[in-house]
Amino acid sequence: MPDFTVDNPTPIYVRVADWIESRIKSGELRSGFRLPPERELAQETGVAYDTIRRAAVLLRERGLIVTVHGRGTYVA
């Protein structure tokens, strides 16, 4: 897992989204895979919950994930 705390001009939420995108494109996360809850992802990555939420918005905009209210977030 990348170190999201190092100084980098790219916003952390973009780096988190890029990391998840790379896992999807490599096949590590396949279509239909349910992502862990955002709070769990925040804890695992060591970033704020709001950062994960912003990364999820970006991934939805990129068409890589879908969120089903009450059920979870899945790889598209």
Side-chain angles (χ1 to χ4, degrees), residues 15-31:
R15 289 188 279 155
V16 170
D18 289 346
W19 172 66
I20 294 172
E21 179 177 355
S22 72
R23 294 177 68 200
I24 292 169
K25 290 189 174 182
S26 75
E28 182 180 346
L29 303 177
R30 298 180 185 271
S31 180

Side-chain angles (χ1 to χ4, degrees), residues 4-58:
F4 296 114
T5 61
V6 296
D7 289 334
N8 187 319
T10 305
I12 294 173
Y13 77 95
V14 174
R15 289 188 279 155
V16 170
D18 289 346
W19 172 66
I20 294 172
E21 179 177 355
S22 72
R23 294 177 68 200
I24 292 169
K25 290 189 174 182
S26 75
E28 182 180 346
L29 303 177
R30 298 180 185 271
S31 180
F33 176 83
R34 183 172 184 229
L35 295 174
E38 291 172 343
R39 291 199 186 276
E40 188 177 315
L41 275 174
Q43 191 172 34
E44 288 176 13
T45 57
V47 302
Y49 169 71
D50 286 337
T51 300
I52 296 297
R53 290 190 58 88
R54 289 182 75 184
V57 168
L58 187 56

